Amino acid sequence: MTLFSIIFGQSETTSTPQLITPSNVTGSEELQVNMWKAPEFSNPDDIVTFVIGPRESAEEFVVHKEHVCYYSPVMKTAFNSLFKEGQTKCYCLEDTEPDVFRLFVQWLYAQDYKVISGADTLEGVADSEPATEKERRLNEQDANMVGLWILGDKLMIPALQNAAMKTLKKLLPFRNSTAWIPAVYEGTIPGCQLRAFAVDYARAQLPAGWVAEHPEHFPQEALVELYTSMEASYNIWTTGVDTKTRFMTRCKGENVDYLVNELIKPRRNDTSLS
């Protein structure tokens, strides 16, 4: 039995998910419905602590239990159980960066977080190297968005995954940046939407020679998936179809490409350009 079936009371292979409402809730489905019930802050003193990052440099974040449990069924199960987390009200995430979790807390309370774009003027950037420093911060932000997507997957918060993906879709198509790709392949499995986005981005955005100039940004899995994607669409690839235009279209506005299903834990279907 998987964590999915324990929490939602159904198989991951369910073909047509049913929207559960209070009128048709029974048993284990109650947890899913509670995700749609807004926090009431009926017990504002009920807080939980998250210890984030490696033990030697970990940071602590304190949030309202009701709020984090509203968005994450994983947290609701953990903090209302007889396990250590339920008894201590403390949850450790050693493989999550504090900056990523900080963005999560912003999103938890505001359903938004602060991001920068290439057009922004950054405070504290020296006049001598504004472009270099801005690029460094943008690269950090790319990595944080990837980390936020992976955290959303880990905590079963698809809305958080989609928030991170929308940020990537908005900002990355206008820059050549691949330092974030290794983290994608370290923290996800084949067929997920984040990998699909990475492959399509590499095909559509990067100039000739980029992969050879930045080999450290492309793990073996990434190269295999990139080649497979190109091979699968070889006939289209060689007949003049503008792959960049197709990718830009998929990144526009409310286009749902690369987004996950927010009603239930999504099945990781491949959504690449191939």
Side-chain angles (χ1 to χ4, degrees):
M1 181 175 292
T2 64
L3 177 61
F4 180 93
S5 61
I6 293 174
I7 292 175
F8 288 112
Q10 60 181 355
S11 170
E12 290 181 347
T13 59
T14 300
S15 57
T16 305
Q18 177 185 9
L19 179 60
I20 299 176
T21 62
S23 62
N24 62 10
V25 172
T26 59
S28 60
E29 294 173 346
E30 182 179 359
L31 177 59
Q32 187 170 354
V33 173
N34 286 343
M35 293 176 63
W36 300 98
K37 179 182 178 182
E40 299 176 353
F41 289 98
S42 56
N43 189 0
D45 293 329
D46 194 4
I47 58 176
V48 293
T49 301
F50 288 87
V51 181
I52 307 300
R55 183 173 303 180
E56 61 275 8
S57 59
E59 293 187 29
E60 291 188 1
F61 293 82
V62 177
V63 300
H64 290 91
K65 174 185 172 183
E66 182 183 10
H67 218 86
V68 73
C69 290
Y70 164 64
Y71 288 107
S72 171
V74 174
M75 293 295 98
K76 183 164 187 175
T77 299
F79 287 126
N80 292 283
S81 70
L82 297 179
F83 295 116
K84 179 179 67 174
E85 292 82 3
Q87 303 305 305
T88 64
K89 295 187 177 181
C90 182
Y91 200 98
C92 297
L93 288 167
E94 292 190 19
D95 57 353
T96 299
E97 291 294 327
D99 284 346
V100 170
F101 200 83
R102 189 169 289 107
L103 289 169
F104 169 55
V105 174
Q106 292 176 22
W107 180 89
L108 196 64
Y109 286 100
Q111 297 294 281
D112 202 0
Y113 42 74
K114 183 178 180 180
V115 297
I116 58 174
S117 70
D120 290 336
T121 300
L122 304 183
E123 297 180 3
V125 176
D127 293 337
S128 59
E129 292 185 326
T132 302
E133 177 62 16
K134 178 175 287 188
E135 188 63 24
R136 184 189 69 79
R137 295 195 192 182
L138 288 170
N139 287 340
E140 286 184 352
Q141 180 173 265
D142 297 339
N144 287 339
M145 289 301 112
V146 169
L148 199 60
W149 193 99
I150 293 171
L151 180 63
D153 190 43
K154 182 181 302 182
L155 301 184
M156 297 179 72
I157 311 178
L160 179 63
Q161 292 176 270
N162 287 341
M165 178 57 72
K166 288 176 182 178
T167 300
L168 291 172
K169 289 170 63 174
K170 179 179 179 181
L171 300 181
L172 274 176
F174 302 98
R175 298 169 47 236
N176 295 331
S177 170
T178 52
W180 53 276
I181 290 180
V184 172
Y185 284 83
E186 290 173 7
T188 66
I189 64 173
C192 75
Q193 288 84 347
L194 188 57
R195 287 196 184 193
F197 175 82
V199 169
D200 289 352
Y201 170 82
R203 284 183 54 191
Q205 178 70 20
L206 302 180
W210 183 274
V211 176
E213 294 171 5
H214 303 84
E216 70 280 7
H217 294 173
F218 296 88
Q220 183 177 357
E221 277 189 280
L223 294 175
V224 170
E225 290 189 7
L226 181 58
Y227 176 81
T228 302
S229 176
M230 294 176 64
E231 184 182 45
S233 57
Y234 179 75
N235 292 331
I236 296 177
W237 185 261
T238 57
T239 54
V241 174
D242 189 342
T243 304
K244 182 176 179 65
T245 298
R246 295 175 65 198
F247 177 68
M248 294 292 286
T249 299
R250 301 183 77 174
C251 289
K252 284 183 178 179
E254 295 304 314
N255 192 302
V256 298
D257 288 305
Y258 311 116
L259 302 185
V260 299
N261 187 339
E262 294 191 16
L263 293 182
I264 61 173
K265 179 66 176 176
R267 296 180 63 187
R268 296 183 171 99
N269 294 322
D270 183 22
T271 57
S272 68
L273 287 173
S274 61

